[in-house]
């Protein structure tokens, strides 16, 4: 947190240094069919910290981008992906719900409605609306409608893995979609209630109801020191941290 001297912000534990929420789903090449092999790395959200995250984790390709929603911390790194356009020599498909697509078009007008003579490089992106499950790299992705305060946004499921960031409620109609999830990444902002994010207790409840074997909390604020918080969480539940790599089926 800018201008904060709390124990977490001054911590020397690298797991307490948290950049904005985002994940990269790398599809195992032996899984993808010959036809679908072109898509390997699927980025979820283009966080404000995208450039630093891509450098820190040596992300060499981004073949597709999924958006959970259009809040600033999840979209403001979008311009940085033009480096991948240059490396890959192709446009990058971006998939999002209707509201997020509209927000992206407005927020990044210079990308989606550029002037006739642009004065600098702009990302080459193609937008697609998510209307249900879709396939990328030979793998099925299932959008999971969740609530972020009053706002409906998307989580994503791939096989037995689900990513539910920025979640304050899982609506009744989405519970069947998360049945059988074994590895879960879910929002747990802090212990004090928040209007648009799960608390630690609420995230523990959701994880237990889903029945995940492994749960990782994300979108964590500086109220939660990594080591101390993990020590008080139930078995199978821990805080995620920047650079965490999970192998999922
Ligand atoms: Zn702090
Ligand atoms: Zn948000
Ligand atoms: Zn957020």
């Amino acid at each position: 947190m800018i201008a904060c001297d709390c124990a977490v912000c001054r911590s020397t534990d690298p797991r307490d240094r948290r950049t904005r929420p985002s994940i990269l789903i790398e599809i195992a090449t032996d899984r993808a069919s010959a036809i679908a092999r072109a898509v390997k790395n699927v980025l979820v959200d283009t966080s404000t910290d995208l450039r630093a995250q891509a450098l820190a984790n040596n992300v060499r390709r981004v073949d597709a981008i999924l958006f959970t929603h259009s809040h600033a911390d999840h979209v403001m790194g979008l311009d940085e992906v033009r480096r991948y356009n240059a490396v890959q020599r192709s446009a990058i498909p971006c998939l999002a719900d209707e509201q997020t697509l509209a927000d992206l078009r407005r927020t990044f007008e210079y990308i989606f409605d550029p002037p006739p003579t642009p004065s600098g490089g702009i990302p080459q992106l193609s937008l697609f609306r998510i209307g249900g499950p879709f396939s990328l790299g030979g793998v099925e992705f299932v959008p999971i409608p969740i609530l972020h305060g009053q706002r409906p946004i998307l989580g994503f499921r791939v096989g037995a893995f689900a990513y539910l960031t920025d979640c304050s409620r899982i609506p009744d109609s989405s519970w069947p979609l998360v049945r059988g999830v074994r590895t879960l990444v879910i929002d747990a902002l802090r212990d004090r209630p928040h209007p648009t994010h799960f608390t630690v207790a609420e995230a523990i409840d959701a994880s237990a109801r889903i029945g995940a074997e492994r749960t990782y909390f994300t979108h964590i604020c500086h109220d939660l020191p990594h080591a101390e918080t993990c020590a008080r969480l139930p078995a199978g539940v821990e805080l995620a941290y920047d650079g965490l790599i999970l192998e999922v089926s």
Side-chain angles (χ1 to χ4, degrees):
M1 184 75 87
I2 291 173
C4 181
D5 298 313
C6 80
V8 172
C9 291
R10 285 186 295 107
S11 168
T12 53
D13 184 338
R15 297 168 304 180
D16 281 324
R17 292 190 72 89
R18 300 171 183 141
T19 59
R20 279 21 175 273
S22 178
I23 62 168
L24 185 78
I25 298 171
E26 186 180 355
I27 299 167
T29 34
D30 57 341
R31 228 201 106 74
S33 73
I35 292 166
R37 203 166 287 155
V39 176
K40 190 171 182 292
N41 284 358
V42 179
L43 181 65
V44 182
D45 291 332
T46 56
S47 94
T48 319
D49 300 313
L50 189 151
R51 182 168 179 272
Q53 292 167 338
L55 291 170
N57 297 283
N58 194 23
V59 177
R60 314 291 299 208
R61 297 186 61 83
V62 170
D63 300 301
I65 301 168
L66 312 182
F67 287 97
T68 59
H69 66 305
S70 54
H71 281 164
D73 49 335
H74 298 261
V75 303
M76 281 302 179
L78 182 59
D79 189 77
E80 305 291 359
V81 304
R82 63 196 170 100
R83 172 62 184 150
Y84 295 109
N85 292 136
V87 171
Q88 298 160 204
R89 298 168 197 273
S90 62
I92 299 172
C94 299
L95 293 76
D97 67 16
E98 192 92 62
Q99 165 86 59
T100 298
L101 290 180
D103 291 342
L104 288 172
R105 285 195 183 95
R106 193 183 62 252
T107 308
F108 297 95
E109 193 186 5
Y110 74 96
I111 296 176
F112 299 109
D113 187 17
T117 51
S119 53
I122 56 172
Q124 302 299 308
L125 307 168
S126 39
L127 300 180
F128 297 92
R129 189 179 71 83
I130 295 174
F134 52 92
S135 174
L136 289 171
V139 172
E140 188 187 49
F141 286 71
V142 180
I144 313 283
I146 54 176
L147 283 169
H148 184 21
Q150 298 297 313
R151 180 178 175 148
I153 70 160
L154 296 179
F156 294 101
R157 176 176 182 164
V158 191
F161 169 77
Y163 180 63
L164 308 178
T165 189
D166 293 63
C167 183
S168 57
R169 195 158 75 80
I170 300 172
D172 293 345
S173 53
S174 288
W175 282 98
L177 301 175
V178 290
R179 190 173 297 142
V181 164
R182 296 203 298 274
T183 306
L184 173 69
V185 177
I186 192 166
D187 184 350
L189 184 76
R190 63 188 190 190
D191 290 312
R192 285 178 297 132
H194 189 279
T196 63
H197 294 273
F198 273 149
T199 61
V200 169
E202 289 167 339
I204 290 172
D205 284 350
S207 158
R209 187 170 162 193
I210 290 169
E213 290 159 19
R214 299 185 294 167
T215 297
Y216 300 87
F217 290 161
T218 190
H219 221 298
I220 309 152
C221 91
H222 63 156
D223 286 8
L224 303 179
H226 187 92
E228 282 169 51
T229 307
C230 285
R232 66 176 165 95
L233 293 175
V237 181
E238 53 191 292
L239 300 189
Y241 52 88
D242 282 38
L244 172 67
I245 296 172
L246 302 173
E247 224 169 283
V248 295
S249 56

